[in-house]
Amino acid sequence: MTLGQTPSDADWRRALTRFVTVIPHTRELGLEVLTVTPPVVTMRLPWCADLLGDSARGLVHGGVLTMLLDTICGSAVLCALPAPEVCPTLDLRVDHYRPGVAGRDIFAEARVLRVTASVVFTEGTLWQEAGRPLARGIGNFVRLGPRNTPQGFAEALFAGEDDHA
């Protein structure tokens, strides 16, 4: 992608894959970006024993679900703005419907509901079985704007495989 060009869905998928690869815990857990159709993002967290919070009953730790909702909602924010900017989590509400169980991948989808000059409003859902959500998250992210976004942020996000941004 060249500077000034509108990113395609494939460009965004590569950029968000780069984003989740830079974050140590999402990289180590193997978080995978499946689809990006701005402002909607879907991801998959592959099953691994490190996700367990209750090994006796084989249940996923609630913190894993919260982390996944925060990450996917924040990823949706990046592709919903006119240009990528740093937008830290302002607040995140998580409604847990049922526990995640051992041995099954966790899928996530998030969408941006509204963008204002100062806040981006998102909603995300997690599931292991279609139609049976594990949790829902409502995340609000504060816009820091171009002045507080590091120079080269967008270029690093969209850098090619061989670039060293």
Side-chain angles (χ1 to χ4, degrees):
M1 191 183 92
T2 60
L3 191 60
Q5 180 183 356
T6 301
S8 68
D9 294 355
D11 292 330
W12 273 114
R13 185 173 180 272
R14 282 188 298 277
L16 294 182
T17 296
R18 177 178 287 254
F19 177 67
V20 300
T21 304
V22 168
I23 303 168
H25 60 275
T26 56
R27 178 183 60 244
E28 293 302 316
L29 291 172
L31 185 59
E32 176 188 7
V33 178
L34 298 177
T35 63
V36 181
T37 308
V40 180
V41 176
T42 59
M43 295 183 185
R44 179 180 72 90
L45 183 62
W47 165 251
C48 72
D50 291 338
L51 303 180
L52 287 178
D54 183 340
S55 56
R57 296 190 302 161
L59 302 178
V60 174
H61 193 286
V64 170
L65 303 180
T66 300
M67 173 279 300
L68 185 52
L69 282 164
D70 187 42
T71 303
I72 193 157
C73 287
S75 295
V77 166
L78 284 171
C79 64
L81 297 172
E85 63 184 76
V86 174
C87 295
T89 308
L90 183 61
D91 61 28
L92 179 66
R93 173 196 163 109
V94 179
D95 296 321
H96 294 271
Y97 300 131
R98 62 183 46 82
V101 296
R104 301 185 75 183
D105 296 347
I106 301 172
F107 294 89
E109 180 178 274
R111 71 185 65 250
V112 170
L113 302 173
R114 184 160 190 253
V115 177
T116 71
S118 58
V119 178
V120 181
F121 300 88
T122 68
E123 176 180 57
T125 305
L126 307 179
W127 69 93
Q128 289 179 306
E129 179 184 338
R132 293 184 44 87
L134 300 177
R136 178 180 82 122
I138 301 295
N140 301 318
F141 296 78
V142 64
R143 292 185 68 182
L144 297 183
R147 188 177 74 142
N148 294 307
T149 296
Q151 188 173 4
F153 180 69
E155 292 79 8
L157 194 60
F158 289 103
E161 293 292 320
D162 297 327
D163 294 344
H164 298 288

